[in-house]
Amino acid sequence: KKFIHVTTPEVYGSTPKEIKESYDFNPSTPYAISRATMDTHLYRFFKNYNLPVIFTRTSNVYGPGQQLYRIIPKAFMCSKKKMKLKLHGGGKSLRSFIHISDASKATYLISEKGLIGETYHISTKEFVSIHRLVKKIAKLQNLTLNKLCKIETDRVGKDHSYKLNSTKLIKKLKWKPSINIDQGLVLTKVWIDDNYSRLKKLSLKYKHKK
């Protein structure tokens, strides 16, 4: 039996260069601190009591079915509803976006072949600024960036970049992503267009679950 603990790159804080799984934790928000604490807690259970845990840290997942408050579906929905998307900090932060299909396949592969106590990064090597990402979406919607967005101040504690190195997963478990960002955005657009009559009734705001 294996326990796959899906955690987050936010435990590392902002990473200006590509990092491996051995990189030290440096969380910059209360949320990230709580995740780093749980990761440490579970790792100690592995070391002390042989809990069969494996850790995964994935770059920004997106694709059909994602919650609408996330940046990619929200940008598409704002364009269709003729709403302005708030571009925090001008969209300067860098992210690697991975399609849900690639992330799911990687997670399943790790559950089959991953080693107990190990951590695996799941990410592409394609890093894109939020500004460039939203510009791509605006183009798909036949809009200019200025028509779609308005610049807002950045969120407190927001990390500039998460640059995960996935060499371990690629070389040892023979995984590789198959859907690049341009292909994935088109797939997401098709999902939103096909389901817009239902999606337009849903909120684009994040709701905290108590």
Side-chain angles (χ1 to χ4, degrees):
K1 293 182 179 180
K2 295 177 183 176
F3 173 48
I4 308 302
H5 182 57
V6 179
T7 178
T8 172
E10 290 190 47
V11 298
Y12 300 125
S14 189
T15 57
K17 61 181 181 180
E18 272 195 65
I19 61 167
K20 294 184 178 181
E21 290 83 353
S22 57
Y23 196 77
D24 289 338
F25 289 174
N26 186 29
S28 55
T29 65
Y31 168 77
I33 292 169
S34 70
R35 297 305 301 272
T37 301
M38 179 54 73
D39 291 3
T40 305
H41 178 75
L42 289 174
Y43 185 74
R44 187 43 54 187
F45 263 94
F46 158 69
K47 294 294 285 187
N48 289 9
Y49 309 110
N50 298 316
L51 178 74
V53 63
I54 300 175
F55 302 88
T56 68
R57 297 195 177 97
T58 309
S59 58
N60 291 59
V61 180
Y62 73 99
Q66 189 175 34
Q67 304 100 319
L68 298 183
Y69 68 84
R70 298 291 187 180
I71 183 64
I72 289 177
K74 189 171 185 177
F76 277 115
M77 290 297 294
C78 284
S79 71
K80 292 178 75 69
K81 298 180 94 170
K82 295 181 170 52
M83 297 168 57
K84 284 280 190 177
L85 176 73
K86 294 179 181 179
L87 197 59
H88 295 283
K92 294 178 182 178
S93 56
L94 287 175
R95 296 290 184 268
S96 173
F97 288 87
I98 185 166
H99 192 270
I100 182 61
S101 177
D102 285 328
S104 297
K105 288 175 183 177
T107 305
Y108 184 72
L109 183 63
I110 290 166
S111 75
E112 285 194 309
K113 299 181 179 181
L115 298 180
I116 301 301
E118 293 288 312
T119 298
Y120 295 89
H121 286 167
I122 305 173
S123 178
T124 72
K125 292 187 176 182
E126 189 177 12
F127 299 104
V128 59
S129 69
I130 301 300
H131 181 276
R132 184 173 161 225
L133 173 77
V134 175
K135 192 172 183 179
K136 286 177 178 286
I137 294 171
K139 186 176 180 180
L140 285 173
Q141 298 298 95
N142 296 314
L143 294 172
T144 64
L145 188 68
N146 290 337
K147 281 283 187 180
L148 177 56
C149 301
K150 65 176 180 178
I151 306 299
E152 295 277 334
T153 55
D154 223 341
R155 299 195 303 271
V156 175
K158 184 179 179 182
D159 295 318
H160 177 264
S161 58
Y162 305 120
K163 294 185 177 180
L164 302 181
N165 182 309
S166 297
T167 299
K168 182 193 220 176
L169 177 61
I170 293 167
K171 288 190 173 181
K172 294 190 175 182
L173 302 189
K174 309 303 180 186
W175 171 86
K176 64 178 180 179
S178 60
I179 300 173
N180 66 34
I181 187 64
D182 292 319
Q183 294 168 326
L185 288 178
V186 170
L187 291 172
T188 306
K189 171 181 167 58
V190 170
W191 169 70
I192 288 175
D193 288 345
D194 288 348
N195 295 278
Y196 184 66
S197 60
R198 176 174 58 87
L199 296 175
K200 68 181 180 181
K201 300 173 184 177
L202 304 178
S203 173
L204 304 186
K205 294 182 180 179
Y206 171 74
K207 291 183 179 179
H208 181 68
K209 295 179 181 179
K210 296 182 180 181

